[in-house]
Amino acid sequence: MGNKKGDLIERIYKRVRKIPKGKVSTYGIIAKSIGAKKVNPRYVGYLLHKNPNPKVIPCHRVVDRNGKVAEKYAFGGWRGQKKKLIHEGVKFIGIKRVDLRESLV
DNA sequence: CCGTTGACCAGGC
DNA sequence: GGCCTGGCCAACG
């Protein structure tokens, strides 16, 4: 596979696309999964926000390490993200937190 | 090439 | 237990 510098975006997208329905992943896990040395979790979110393609990339399945949804989620804020996750059967703890015990891949 | 930015993370108070 | 600070690294202008 052609590995280039700018492929980080595609690696992240590919990883996010592989998250099963009803499950979630975290920025930190994804950052390490792509394996490009050490990619900052910050940059993962940055790329997703910069290049949102919800038709193929379920970025709503990505939360932070505490299971908290993105406060600045591009499509309706954390509320929109939560709504999509609940629709897929993801359990929530409290208001903004996902049940990582059940939903984390 | 340098400074800024980014949907985070860990540590400290 | 909530808020601040520093750090991390890649992309952009």
Side-chain angles (χ1 to χ4, degrees):
Chain A
M1 317 232 275
N3 283 353
K4 286 187 300 185
K5 263 166 101 183
D7 279 345
L8 269 182
I9 299 176
E10 294 188 10
R11 287 187 210 179
I12 292 172
Y13 288 174
K14 209 167 193 172
R15 180 76 191 185
V16 174
R17 245 188 272 118
K18 292 208 168 95
I19 302 175
K21 185 176 180 182
K23 299 278 183 179
V24 297
S25 190
T26 75
Y27 298 102
I29 292 175
I30 291 175
K32 290 177 182 176
S33 298
I34 59 181
K37 296 186 177 180
K38 291 189 295 181
V39 179
N40 276 29
R42 295 179 65 164
Y43 196 60
V44 176
Y46 165 60
L47 293 176
L48 290 176
H49 196 209
K50 167 187 177 189
N51 227 339
N53 200 349
K55 299 184 188 301
V56 292
I57 305 159
C59 43
H60 58 269
R61 289 185 194 147
V62 185
V63 296
D64 71 5
R65 72 169 186 92
N66 295 313
K68 217 170 169 186
V69 295
E71 306 265 351
K72 296 190 177 178
Y73 179 65
F75 302 96
W78 63 267
R79 293 159 288 185
Q81 186 176 4
K82 176 182 178 182
K83 189 170 183 176
K84 291 178 184 180
L85 290 174
I86 288 184
H87 186 72
E88 296 184 352
V90 177
K91 294 180 186 175
F92 265 72
I93 302 175
I95 308 284
K96 300 183 186 171
R97 229 142 105 186
V98 173
D99 188 349
L100 292 179
R101 299 169 307 171
E102 297 279 331
S103 301
L104 182 62
V105 286

